[in-house]
Amino acid sequence: MLKITPLSAFALLSATVLSASCQNNAGSTQTAEKKDTAKSKFISKPLVTQIYTADPSAHVFNGKIYVYPSHDIDTGTPENDNGDHFNMKDFHILSMDSIGGKVTDNGEALNIKNIPWAGRQLWAPDAAYENGTYYLYFPVKDKSDIFRIGVATSKSPVGPFKAGAKPIEGSFSIDPCVFKDTDGSYYMYYGGIWGGQLQRWATGKYSGPEGSKTDLGKDDQPALTPKVVKLSKNMLGFAEKPKDAVILDETGKPLLGKDHDRRFFEGSWMYKYDGKYYFTYSTGDTHLLCYATGTSPYGPFTYKGVILKPVQGWTSHHSIVEIKGKWYLFYHDTELSGKTHLRNVKVTELKHRADGSIETINEFVK
Ligand code: FUB
């Protein structure tokens, strides 16, 4: 069941909750989700309104801004503890010349029916460009209902993309983020607990759906960590065994399972600022986007604070990118629909203070 913390209570309140019932992405029942959007004021507007979009991974390729989001649809799939209600089937890529400019929906870029090994649920993607080819990385459940990460290629940033015959060997769980370091090496960060299945891989092998459906179930032990792995030169596979990207507290100890306000849940992102690695992520059931910094792409990363307070909706997922000397946070909420599984992507400016810390953003106008 969902643990109601002061922060999650704040999330519900700040979104002006009406009585109804809903479930989170991993499905634990929350009371009161339907939002009175008419009473909520937001700092940003949805980038597109003709389709529902979520999990925005933004990049600048060739001077143009591209957003690689999930494409939320309503398939009538009942909400449950595995997040089955996020039953997405394709990707649409958004593009724009500038922040605040016209946003183009470039149509279907990849459909689940053209991924030979896929079963269901096309979740949060990311993209990279190298040597004349665009790479689209995506999680989807295979035909045994196990989340794996796949890769598809195209000569165009907006597709159509052609998926590989198999998932990336050794991949599992969800939410791939691909980061190019200044030395040209690429790393993938990935993983998500609860419906993202990371807890099923805690021993290094798949344990099956039995056991804890949420996390390790060990409050006083180190929390599950995101995974980090160097990509192979051809961008299509892992060059090594994935490692734990450990997040430490201010005393240098790994964050514990019970620390729901700070421990990793899903939605990894990585960027470099002022020579430091910023690992950013969602805390899931406490609805925060947080950041932790380090001196190596492998971590460890030390927890630093909150980037984005709880948004309207249960999930929070983001990317951070520099565009023409300013930094931007791409994120999502449920302003358009008021429904957990029908989200819309947005963008707002993100500011670093002189000491490198990030100014916390509140998506609601005060
Ligand atoms: O969009 C499906 C899932 O919801 C993503 O993989 C998570 O990050 C959450 O946003």
Side-chain angles (χ1 to χ4, degrees):
M1 290 296 292
L2 183 77
K3 192 173 166 186
I4 298 291
T5 64
L7 268 165
S8 55
F10 167 79
L12 297 176
L13 269 176
S14 61
T16 319
V17 172
L18 293 181
S19 63
S21 122
C22 85
Q23 294 180 324
N24 59 44
N25 78 319
S28 289
T29 303
Q30 266 180 302
T31 51
E33 158 68 13
K34 196 163 181 303
K35 306 295 192 303
D36 181 353
T37 51
K39 285 188 193 157
S40 298
K41 287 221 186 317
F42 300 91
I43 56 168
S44 305
K45 287 280 144 220
L47 286 183
V48 288
T49 56
Q50 66 273 31
I51 57 170
Y52 292 111
T53 53
D55 310 325
S57 291
H59 292 275
V60 178
F61 294 134
N62 246 329
K64 198 168 167 129
I65 304 161
Y66 295 91
V67 184
Y68 296 81
S70 299
H71 177 198
D72 283 354
I73 50 168
D74 194 357
T75 58
T77 310
E79 297 180 5
N80 66 13
D81 283 351
N82 289 322
D84 285 355
H85 44 301
F86 294 110
N87 193 15
M88 295 85 99
K89 297 188 186 305
D90 67 5
F91 291 124
H92 283 224
I93 292 150
L94 310 179
S95 58
M96 63 194 109
D97 289 328
S98 59
I99 296 292
K102 181 175 170 260
V103 181
T104 303
D105 167 7
N106 294 281
E108 187 176 285
L110 178 65
N111 192 297
I112 196 167
K113 65 176 190 266
N114 296 322
I115 304 170
W117 52 274
R120 61 181 179 138
Q121 295 180 281
L122 202 46
W123 282 13
D126 193 15
Y129 170 77
E130 187 62 27
N131 266 334
T133 301
Y134 293 88
Y135 297 87
L136 181 67
Y137 299 91
F138 55 87
V140 67
K141 282 181 179 162
D142 66 14
K143 295 189 196 300
S144 312
D145 237 20
I146 301 173
F147 266 118
R148 305 278 183 185
I149 296 170
V151 56
T153 56
S154 175
K155 290 293 171 195
S156 159
V158 297
F161 283 86
K162 185 166 171 40
K166 291 182 178 167
I168 294 176
E169 198 176 334
S171 72
F172 54 87
S173 198
I174 60 166
D175 290 0
C177 151
V178 173
F179 162 72
K180 184 179 189 178
D181 206 348
T182 29
D183 68 355
S185 305
Y186 281 90
Y187 298 87
M188 181 185 286
Y189 300 82
Y190 67 91
I193 60 173
W194 296 37
Q197 304 182 343
L198 188 59
Q199 68 279 2
R200 298 184 187 176
W201 296 89
T203 63
K205 290 204 174 121
Y206 185 68
S207 65
E210 302 79 26
S212 170
K213 289 199 176 347
T214 56
D215 53 22
L216 285 178
K218 292 177 184 161
D219 272 3
D220 292 314
Q221 297 292 314
L224 283 161
T225 66
K227 297 287 177 184
V228 53
V229 61
K230 198 172 203 169
L231 291 186
S232 54
K233 286 271 177 254
N234 68 5
M235 304 289 285
L236 300 174
F238 294 166
E240 59 187 359
K241 202 168 170 273
K243 303 175 187 349
D244 289 339
V246 177
I247 306 172
L248 307 173
D249 68 13
E250 61 288 354
T251 70
K253 296 201 180 99
L255 295 179
L256 299 180
K258 65 183 171 197
D259 195 347
H260 290 224
D261 286 345
R262 299 193 295 175
R263 62 91 173 89
F264 172 77
F265 189 106
E266 63 187 2
S268 296
W269 190 257
M270 167 60 71
Y271 70 98
K272 221 168 170 179
Y273 178 80
D274 211 10
K276 268 196 190 148
Y277 295 88
Y278 282 63
F279 177 75
T280 62
Y281 59 99
S282 164
T283 63
D285 58 336
T286 49
H287 318 287
L288 299 165
L289 292 183
C290 294
Y291 72 110
T293 62
T295 54
S296 156
Y298 290 108
F301 304 105
T302 302
Y303 177 87
K304 292 292 175 186
V306 173
I307 298 168
L308 180 66
K309 289 184 180 180
V311 295
Q312 176 175 299
W314 200 91
T315 64
S316 200
H317 190 120
H318 74 299
S319 58
I320 294 171
V321 64
E322 185 179 19
I323 301 167
K324 293 190 176 146
K326 285 187 172 184
W327 288 84
Y328 292 92
L329 174 77
F330 288 77
Y331 64 103
H332 70 222
D333 65 17
T334 59
E335 178 180 353
L336 288 176
S337 75
K339 292 185 180 155
T340 308
H341 65 295
L342 298 176
R343 300 159 291 180
N344 48 259
V345 298
K346 296 183 164 184
V347 62
T348 192
E349 193 176 342
L350 173 139
K351 290 186 177 148
H352 298 93
R353 297 189 191 88
D355 64 358
S357 62
I358 294 175
E359 287 183 13
T360 302
I361 297 167
N362 180 356
E363 82 142 345
F364 299 102
V365 175
K366 285 177 213 130

